[in-house]
Amino acid sequence: GVIRMAGGHEGSFRGALPLTPAPFLYSLDRAKPVSFDVDLPEGDLAGLAAATDLFTDAVGRYGGGLLVTGTIAEPHLYGDFHLAEASFRISGMEERYFAVNAKVLLEDTIVTISRLSAKEGKKGTLSCTGRITLRGWKPALYDLSATANEFVLASISNILAIVSGTVNVTTKVEGGRPLPVVSGDFEVKQSEVYYDLGSLSPAAGGSTLEPPSWEAAIDLKIPGNTWIRTPDARVELRGDVTLYHDAKGTYLRGELDLVRGWYNIYNNKFRIRSGQLQFVHAGGMRPIVDIEAETQDPEGRRIYLTVRWHQDDVEPLLALTHEDPGYSETDIWKMLGGGTVSAP
């Protein structure tokens, strides 16, 4: 038969599939031999993109072929797929890849990524090699490695980051089923976080009754130039954390220091003096918060703010003190609101 793609590109298929009677017409006989061959000569990637919702804005060249022998239950797969100078965006994601060159080989039960390289953003590069071992039609063993340099992450909600590092995918058997395990080590070159710490719930990303379909432990080194940016805050972060995804949920472990910046509270801009975020909740994203900040009263005297939001606290605890002793917190709040307060 003929496979017709958009733009006039054509491929072909031929072979025989064993059928067996079923309650409704026929179904594939999983035990009898199968022979099926698909050939896609090199063509314009835009035509393939028009036939699938997986990616958009595609240009470049692609081609490949697939031969299936054995049985439906225990197939043997042979073939290849390649991309040449391709450019596209994966549907639902912001990153656009260009100068993509890839070659994937299928040899019986082994899928080998012999070459995959791409560029992204102004200076970002990405490469990947490795193999996946199949059991039937499903992945059973993973051995993959990918390296990113100056790679722009734009598809994570409320986060924009430039990262460099390596990620590996191996296999863990859990309950008799293979589970991909992602590990890696990345340096965050630059990042902006667009949500307030107060919006993070202790239960965010918490565990569920469903076992995870994959696990991850990725180390993130943040030497600085990572900023919380909201209408009420500009705060630079520095430190080391690990991003986990497992049966407990998706969560962070580690510590981040507040290097500098400011935070608006009741229309008063407090300058960060020191602070730390400690991620200790397994299954939650909200950290333990300790912050020291300061501002000035209308006469230029210092007012100090302490923010504490610890593990069992329902909401942050704020405390105000004045450089001149004797003022109560009520007096200080009145100063900050523009009111007049008598000297103590």
Side-chain angles (χ1 to χ4, degrees), residues 169-180:
V169 184
T170 55
T171 310
K172 170 184 176 182
V173 178
E174 189 78 31
R177 66 188 182 103
L179 204 65

Side-chain angles (χ1 to χ4, degrees), residues 43-335:
D44 189 341
L45 187 62
L48 182 60
T52 177
D53 294 329
L54 295 178
F55 51 95
T56 60
D57 305 327
V59 297
R61 309 293 293 175
Y62 81 100
L66 174 64
L67 172 63
V68 182
T69 61
T71 65
I72 297 297
E74 296 184 10
H76 303 287
L77 308 177
Y78 302 91
D80 69 278
F81 180 81
H82 67 269
L83 292 172
E85 293 302 318
S87 174
F88 56 84
R89 182 173 58 83
I90 298 173
S91 296
M93 303 183 71
E94 297 297 327
E95 296 85 2
R96 180 174 179 83
Y97 304 93
F98 62 96
V100 181
N101 292 281
K103 187 172 185 179
V104 180
L105 304 175
L106 290 86
E107 300 175 275
D108 199 0
T109 60
I110 305 295
V111 180
T112 301
I113 302 175
S114 64
R115 181 180 76 253
L116 193 160
S117 62
K119 295 182 179 180
E120 188 266 347
K122 290 184 178 180
K123 298 187 292 182
T125 61
L126 177 69
S127 63
C128 178
T129 58
R131 60 176 54 189
I132 300 172
T133 302
L134 303 177
R135 183 174 297 135
W137 298 90
K138 297 180 180 180
L141 293 173
Y142 300 87
D143 183 12
L144 302 172
S145 180
T147 299
N149 185 47
E150 302 278 341
F151 188 83
V152 179
L153 287 174
S155 296
I156 302 175
S157 179
N158 295 317
I159 295 177
L160 179 65
I162 299 175
V163 301
S164 295
T166 299
V167 64
N168 300 298
V169 184
T170 55
T171 310
K172 170 184 176 182
V173 178
E174 189 78 31
R177 66 188 182 103
L179 204 65
V181 177
V182 182
S183 61
D185 188 354
F186 282 90
E187 180 178 339
V188 181
K189 302 286 189 178
Q190 181 180 344
S191 179
E192 295 187 355
V193 181
Y194 301 108
Y195 56 75
D196 197 315
L197 293 176
S199 66
L200 295 177
S201 165
S207 61
T208 67
L209 295 177
E210 293 293 329
S213 58
W214 55 281
E215 292 185 359
I218 300 174
D219 296 326
L220 302 174
K221 182 177 179 61
I222 303 173
N225 206 19
T226 287
W227 291 84
I228 295 175
R229 293 186 182 272
T230 72
D232 291 317
R234 297 287 189 278
V235 180
E236 185 181 11
L237 304 176
R238 178 177 60 205
D240 299 315
V241 295
T242 300
L243 174 65
Y244 290 95
H245 178 82
D246 54 30
K248 300 185 185 80
T250 302
Y251 55 97
L252 292 171
R253 284 289 182 88
E255 297 179 358
L256 294 175
D257 295 324
L258 278 63
V259 179
R260 57 178 172 156
W262 53 266
Y263 201 97
N264 255 344
I265 299 179
Y266 297 112
N267 296 319
N268 288 272
K269 183 179 288 187
F270 283 82
R271 181 179 63 84
I272 300 295
R273 300 174 64 201
S274 64
Q276 189 175 69
L277 309 178
Q278 299 180 64
F279 296 90
V280 299
H281 299 282
M285 294 295 284
R286 178 172 73 77
I288 291 175
V289 179
D290 288 282
I291 300 174
E292 302 286 342
E294 68 176 42
T295 189
Q296 294 181 339
D297 69 10
E299 297 180 12
R301 298 170 298 179
R302 287 187 177 88
I303 294 174
Y304 302 105
L305 170 69
T306 300
V307 180
R308 301 283 183 268
W309 195 8
H310 289 181
Q311 187 164 349
D312 297 325
D313 296 332
V314 177
E315 57 186 23
L317 304 177
L318 281 63
L320 289 170
T321 57
H322 198 280
E323 72 169 51
D324 292 338
Y327 288 107
S328 68
E329 281 199 78
T330 301
D331 291 335
I332 299 171
W333 284 118
K334 190 173 181 181
M335 290 180 193

